[in-house]
Amino acid sequence: MDPPVFAGGLRIAPEFVRLFFYCADAGSRDSSATPTRQSFCMKTILVFAGTRPEIIKMAPIVRELRARQRSQTARKKTWSAHFCFSGQHYELAVPFLKYFDTKPDSHLNVMESGQSLGQLRSRATAQLDAFFKCRPGACAALVQGDTTTAFVAALSAFDHKVPIGHVEAGLRTSDITEPFPEELNRRLITRIAKWHYAPTERARQVLLTEKVAPESIILTRNTGIDSLLWASNQSYEPALKDLATLDGKRLVLVTAHRRESIGAPLKRIASALVKLAREFRDATFILPVHKNPQVARIIRGDLARTRNILLTEPLEYPDFVWAMKRAELIITDSGGIQEEAASLKKPVLVVRNETERTEAIDYGTSFLVGSDPNRLIIMAKEFLTGQRKLALKSAVSPFGDGAAARRIVDHLLAHILS
Ligand code: UDP
């Protein structure tokens, strides 16, 4: 079936149509690609998320805001929250939005297949500008992390004189091109944000060295850990039936998708995985394949034929948490997984040249191996043979305690209501 065509010739992918109906079911007030003007008589806190990790890390804030919004008495309703889903990852998003019980109040449609970063920025700028024009009552805009849509949402908020709160502020590598383009995005957001919600003491120190005013930095811990702990308390039924067959078996969990890994680095990582899987035949190497076609081509091309490598679709969050908890070893180029693994006390081989989560290295769960296959094989073997064991610096992970969203919302409400 051809995807529907919206007025103006804009082609909409089927996944977006599913999201459209999901939001419309939710009673969405702005379930069109170009929102219409609305008058907001109350102060409105805007929350933006567009990718899988943003949803995971913003969900606890959206839920906390909505719970407090509901607790306002009918006579004293002074503010409201509005969650806008930008759609940067719309294919992956719906199960995550549902799982975390965070139906968007509105959504944009910033993705178009094959578009360049510049085109994404330009499309997002046009839609976010229109979005802000409709919201004269906006009193704060929360963006998370370092994605292109987080940066564009922050810039649009700045254009419309809406103060910006940056969730997960202060993460840095020493190289502006790694991760690409996220390192640039987060540095730029720091320049225009009013409130910087730093997840760790190290992130706070980074912001101070960049001359960010100390009173605008709030040490909150990481909201991703709020989600991890929340998910750990929910009942679990695997969405991917294959997982049930792996219970009790040796498991190595692998993810690799970063833009800077695509090409030769990813091929080197793949060759190391094949060697490891052949040597450790009693272990299953589970690898959820990222939707990026360039990543999928390399991974499926190089790894599909090894018996104990299980390639899956991207896992839904509860399945992924299940796999992290059972994994003996995690191999990844992801950022958020390094934080989650530290909380779960799992060893992680980080297949990147740099990490902005150096706390996990100091803590003793992350090991930076780059894309050198020999280094990856040596370190993985050490863990899989039991030769190397984790030696943690303390019992408590540096990333979070499950109360980050509460701290952010406390701070935000104190400021906008004062
Ligand atoms: N994740 C997931 N399913 C997967 C792979 C990852 O739910 O198949 C979750 C994971 O638990 C983590 C987040 O997605 O919270 C990491 O996403 P990603 O690696 O895309 O982004 P990054 O953290 O590097 O920004």
Side-chain angles (χ1 to χ4, degrees):
M1 186 185 77
D2 278 346
V5 180
F6 274 30
L10 180 66
R11 245 172 213 289
I12 308 290
E15 292 80 5
F16 182 75
V17 176
R18 277 201 291 278
L19 175 68
F20 176 90
F21 286 115
Y22 173 57
C23 292
D25 284 342
S28 163
R29 285 177 294 194
D30 299 302
S31 49
S32 67
T34 47
T36 53
R37 186 174 175 83
Q38 292 184 346
S39 73
F40 277 63
C41 47
M42 287 183 272
K43 290 180 175 180
T44 309
I45 299 169
L46 304 174
V47 182
F48 294 93
T51 61
R52 173 177 68 191
E54 282 173 296
I55 296 169
I56 294 169
K57 289 179 170 176
M58 282 304 216
I61 298 179
V62 172
R63 280 201 310 269
E64 183 75 22
L65 281 168
R66 285 180 176 167
R68 298 212 203 174
Q69 180 180 332
R70 280 193 300 272
S71 71
Q72 295 176 97
T73 60
R75 267 192 323 116
K76 276 191 75 181
K77 278 204 167 86
T78 50
W79 63 274
S80 66
H82 182 103
F83 171 34
C84 174
F85 174 63
S86 76
Q88 191 171 333
H89 272 178
Y90 56 69
E91 275 188 67
L92 291 176
V94 172
F96 283 76
L97 294 167
K98 283 187 177 162
Y99 178 68
F100 287 111
D101 192 21
T102 47
K103 286 176 181 167
D105 297 296
S106 66
H107 59 86
L108 309 176
N109 176 23
V110 300
M111 287 312 276
E112 202 171 47
S113 93
Q115 71 184 343
S116 66
L117 267 180
Q119 287 168 323
L120 167 60
R121 236 178 261 125
S122 136
R123 204 172 148 93
T125 301
Q127 293 184 18
L128 282 155
D129 190 54
F131 177 90
F132 275 96
K133 275 190 189 138
C134 302
R135 284 165 183 87
C139 63
L142 289 182
V143 299
Q144 195 280 331
D146 50 23
T147 62
T148 296
T149 46
F151 166 62
V152 176
L155 195 57
S156 303
F158 183 81
D159 288 344
H160 290 269
K161 302 195 166 44
V162 177
I164 301 150
H166 187 196
V167 176
E168 201 180 51
L171 272 62
R172 296 290 184 270
T173 65
S174 64
D175 182 346
I176 201 157
T177 66
E178 284 202 28
F180 182 88
E182 290 84 4
E183 184 64 25
L184 176 69
N185 288 336
R186 60 190 172 215
R187 291 187 195 192
L188 293 174
I189 296 172
T190 295
R191 300 276 64 89
I192 54 178
K194 176 166 180 171
W195 303 296
H196 307 262
Y197 298 114
T200 62
E201 177 55 27
R202 180 163 306 171
R204 197 178 79 86
Q205 290 300 327
V206 165
L207 294 166
L208 289 173
T209 59
E210 293 180 4
K211 305 266 180 286
V212 174
E215 64 278 11
S216 68
I217 308 171
I218 306 94
L219 180 59
T220 60
R221 304 292 168 208
N222 198 305
T223 54
I225 306 305
D226 295 12
S227 280
L228 180 67
L229 299 180
W230 182 86
S232 301
N233 283 325
Q234 308 297 308
S235 59
Y236 172 67
E237 188 67 42
L240 182 71
K241 297 297 167 218
D242 285 354
L243 293 186
T245 65
L246 296 176
D247 208 6
K249 303 221 170 103
R250 297 188 79 187
L251 211 64
V252 178
L253 177 63
V254 186
T255 77
H257 73 280
R258 299 222 77 85
R259 241 172 236 263
E260 61 274 16
S261 301
I262 294 170
L266 195 53
K267 286 199 82 71
R268 286 197 293 273
I269 295 165
S271 77
L273 290 173
V274 170
K275 285 190 184 136
L276 283 168
R278 286 190 182 144
E279 184 157 348
F280 293 92
R281 292 217 175 259
D282 60 335
T284 300
F285 290 66
I286 177 165
L287 198 166
V289 184
H290 199 265
K291 290 281 184 196
N292 181 330
Q294 289 170 290
V295 174
R297 204 172 309 122
I298 297 177
I299 296 288
R300 293 196 185 280
D302 292 9
L303 298 179
R305 283 176 303 278
T306 310
R307 193 182 46 82
N308 53 332
I309 295 184
L310 175 64
L311 302 181
T312 69
E313 289 299 305
L315 295 181
E316 294 188 13
Y317 190 66
D319 282 356
F320 197 79
V321 171
W322 180 94
M324 282 194 290
K325 286 185 173 169
R326 273 154 192 78
E328 251 175 272
L329 177 67
I330 299 174
I331 299 172
T332 190
D333 61 2
S334 157
I337 294 171
Q338 295 172 59
E339 296 154 356
E340 291 163 341
S343 286
L344 298 172
K345 302 186 177 22
K346 295 288 175 177
V348 184
L349 304 183
V350 182
V351 284
R352 290 169 56 173
N353 298 324
E354 290 223 35
T355 178
E356 57 290 270
R357 275 90 173 174
T358 49
E359 297 91 338
I361 294 180
D362 296 344
Y363 181 55
T365 43
S366 278
F367 302 83
L368 206 54
V369 296
S371 63
D372 173 0
N374 294 328
R375 202 166 142 66
L376 174 54
I377 290 170
I378 290 167
M379 292 280 288
K381 273 187 187 175
E382 285 178 4
F383 277 109
L384 293 175
T385 55
Q387 223 179 311
R388 189 192 278 262
K389 299 243 181 298
L390 286 186
L392 299 183
K393 216 169 186 178
S394 73
V396 185
S397 140
F399 293 107
D401 56 4
R406 186 178 48 69
R407 292 187 188 101
I408 290 168
V409 172
D410 280 348
H411 172 269
L412 190 64
L413 290 181
H415 278 72
I416 66 158
L417 299 179
S418 62

